Amino acid sequence: MSQFHIAVIVGSLRKDSFNRQLATALARLAPADFHLTQLRLDDLPLYNQDDDGQQAAPVLRLKSEIQAAQGLMFVTPEYNRSIPGVLKNAIDHASRPYGQNAWAGKPAGVLGVSVGAIGTALAQQHLRNILAYLDAPTLGAPEAFIQAKEGLFDADGQVGQASRAFLQGWMDRYVAWVKKHA
C-alpha cells in the first residue's frame, strides 16, 4: 500500500486554535495510507524579495516539506474577512523565487472553522484565488465553512458526533481528489 504524505498548513499560530484542533481531528478521519503532518510556520521570517537568493533555513525546510508531500490541506481561520498574515507569509515564501513555486501541481483541500455563522467562507475564497494562481488544483466541493460551537469536538479532541458524517464525507472527497491528482 503506497503512502500519501499530506502537508497540513494551519493558518493560526495560537496553540489552542480551533483550526489546529480541526486539523488534528481531521487526521483521525484519514485512511491508513494517508499521513497528515502539520507544517511549522511560526519561525518563518517576514517575506522580503531581497532574500530570494538566499532563503532562510526555516523557509527552505517549509519548501522541502511541501515538495515532499503528495497533497496539501489548508485549515485556516478568517482574519478581517481574509486569510491570516502568517498564512500569506508562508504562501509567499514557498512560491518564491519566481520559477521555484513549491505549491505548483499539489492537490489541495481548503477548510476552516470560526465562531462566526459563515465560518471562514471569505478567507477560503481568497485562499482559493491564490491557490488557482499558484497552480495548486483545489477541491471545489464540498465546501466546509465550519462554525465553532458546543460539540464540534468531543472530550478526546475528535470530531463530535453532529459533525462527524459531514467531515468524514469531506475527507473522503479530499482523499479521492489527492489520489486523482497526485
Side-chain angles (χ1 to χ4, degrees):
M1 171 177 3
S2 64
Q3 288 286 320
F4 290 87
H5 297 281
I6 305 301
V8 179
I9 301 92
V10 178
S12 175
L13 297 179
R14 191 169 67 86
K15 184 182 83 170
D16 295 324
S17 82
F18 293 129
N19 286 279
R20 187 162 312 285
Q21 292 175 51
L22 179 59
T24 300
L26 283 170
R28 296 176 181 159
L29 299 179
D33 59 338
F34 270 63
H35 179 73
L36 282 64
T37 303
Q38 293 181 32
L39 304 187
R40 184 175 179 192
L41 306 183
D42 66 339
D43 62 344
L44 297 174
L46 291 176
Y47 176 73
N48 180 339
Q49 189 175 5
D50 291 341
D51 299 331
D52 279 0
Q54 189 168 5
Q55 292 178 310
V59 174
L60 295 174
R61 180 206 66 236
L62 176 69
K63 289 180 76 167
S64 174
E65 291 169 342
I66 293 164
Q67 290 164 337
Q70 285 75 47
L72 309 167
M73 184 181 296
F74 292 86
V75 187
T76 186
E78 183 169 298
Y79 292 178
N80 300 314
R81 300 288 190 226
S82 190
I83 63 173
V86 67
L87 178 55
K88 183 65 166 78
N89 188 53
I91 290 169
D92 291 345
H93 272 301
S95 69
R96 303 295 297 185
Y98 183 80
Q100 297 178 28
N101 174 14
W103 309 107
K106 302 286 181 181
V110 175
L111 69 166
V113 57
S114 170
V115 296
I118 62 169
T120 61
L122 295 174
Q124 288 185 45
Q125 187 57 52
H126 288 175
L127 182 55
R128 288 172 186 282
N129 289 341
I130 294 166
L131 293 173
Y133 173 76
L134 294 175
D135 192 29
T138 305
L139 176 66
E143 293 177 309
F145 309 135
I146 310 299
Q147 184 179 21
K149 54 185 174 181
E150 186 74 30
L152 178 58
F153 304 110
D154 66 19
D156 296 326
Q158 296 189 48
V159 174
Q161 195 62 35
S163 299
R164 190 166 294 139
F166 173 76
L167 286 171
Q168 185 64 65
W170 186 93
M171 178 60 76
D172 294 346
R173 288 289 305 274
Y174 173 74
V175 165
W177 183 256
V178 169
K179 288 182 176 181
K180 178 180 176 182
H181 289 91

